[in-house]
Amino acid sequence: MSNSRLFPPLAALRAFEAVGRLGGIRRAAKELGIDHAVVSRHIRSLENWLDTQMVIRNGSANQLTSEGEEYYKEIYSALTTISTATGKLLHSGNELSFSLWCIPGFAFLWLADHLGDFIASNPNVSVDFRPADNSPDFRTKEVHGDIRYLREWEEADVSRFARRFEFARPYVFPVASPACAAQLPPIQTAADLLDCPLLHENNDLEWLHWLRAQGLDIEDRMPGSRLWHAHLTLNAARQGHGIALANHMLLSDDLEKGRLVRITPRTGDFKPVNFGAYTFLAREDRWNAPVIVRFRKWLQSTMANEPA
């Protein structure tokens, strides 16, 4: 058998890779910009060429067979290598585009103040920056990178199509305005915080995990206002509406300038807690693209100058 016999048509391989990655023929067709009937023909052509069924057709669902799944892993890796090598060649010396999403609280309270440094040091990179509540769909090429605060109980939800780089895991502690702190009942232990006005983001899980780390066994829903985003929660704390959980990356100079103060017991301190990490995510096939490598290195060097 000649070597050329071992190379299926590239169009069929691209269609198959997209179906395997996106989980459906219509989704693959949308990404590839062709009709779904064309994708179906490519898949059947590949199956005929290999004399093996690769896709289980079950209504709107298109799952891979066991043979198809094994073949997909190899084809995905090979096409990723081709894509990365081509991207490096096409973009060397030319302007690069970089679309970045970010969880809103971190976007407003930290990244917006630092991103200008990345832009200034990378003048040939055109940045499209968007605060976003939810992570992008990494099955598509909608966005280059994304920054999330991944709590330990959320890590299993990360897309299997994304790689991640954890760049900061700061300690979390309670803060309030000086006026609010002055009106609180005596704080001897973490249990005394249950009698105080607590501020939450979109749910009470952070406070629940923080208090459990202090040794409290709490089962009930936590009371307190929900502000949904870190920057809104901290703003409510600055205005004296209650106690928020925060970390040094979100506080900027709030503590130094006295807008907020740490809430601590009368003697000693609370146990240090960190239950999440700020994480950069990108599609696996773009992980080594020049602009993403630059941004990862910039994050790493910038974090080296942050307080511990």
Side-chain angles (χ1 to χ4, degrees), residues 118-169:
F118 175 77
I119 295 172
S121 58
N122 293 273
N124 67 327
V125 176
S126 177
V127 176
D128 180 4
F129 174 47
R130 171 180 167 182
D133 287 319
N134 299 312
S135 191
D137 185 350
F138 281 108
R139 295 174 301 180
T140 71
K141 295 182 178 179
E142 181 178 18
V143 63
H144 292 95
D146 181 43
I147 292 176
R148 296 290 122 185
Y149 181 62
L150 291 182
R151 300 161 183 87
E152 292 173 356
W153 56 91
E154 297 171 330
E155 292 183 354
D157 298 330
V158 174
S159 169
R160 69 185 183 96
F161 302 102
R163 288 184 65 175
R164 68 178 83 171
F165 165 53
E166 178 182 306
F167 59 88
R169 184 175 284 270

Side-chain angles (χ1 to χ4, degrees), residues 47 58 68 80 83 94 99 128 131 138 154 169 171 181 203-204 223 245 274 285-286:
E47 289 177 327
N58 183 17
T80 296
S83 175
N94 298 323
S99 57
D128 180 4
F138 281 108
E154 297 171 330
R169 184 175 284 270
Y171 288 112
N203 56 50
D204 60 0
L245 286 175
N274 58 33
D285 58 344
R286 287 178 165 175

Side-chain angles (χ1 to χ4, degrees), residues 206-219:
E206 285 199 357
W207 268 112
L208 188 64
H209 281 78
W210 189 88
L211 289 166
R212 285 176 177 171
Q214 305 304 320
L216 298 183
D217 185 16
I218 300 175
E219 300 294 338

Side-chain angles (χ1 to χ4, degrees), residues 76-93:
Y76 176 82
S77 177
L79 292 180
T80 296
T81 299
I82 294 172
S83 175
T84 300
T86 304
K88 289 180 180 178
L89 184 62
L90 288 176
H91 294 305
S92 59

Side-chain angles (χ1 to χ4, degrees), residues 104-119:
F106 188 72
F108 291 118
L109 295 171
W110 189 89
L111 189 57
D113 290 336
H114 293 77
L115 192 59
D117 295 335
F118 175 77
I119 295 172

Side-chain angles (χ1 to χ4, degrees), residues 1-23:
M1 180 183 294
S2 66
N3 288 339
S4 61
R5 176 67 180 85
L6 297 178
F7 290 94
L10 181 58
L13 291 178
R14 290 185 65 221
F16 172 71
E17 185 276 335
V19 170
R21 174 165 46 82
L22 300 173

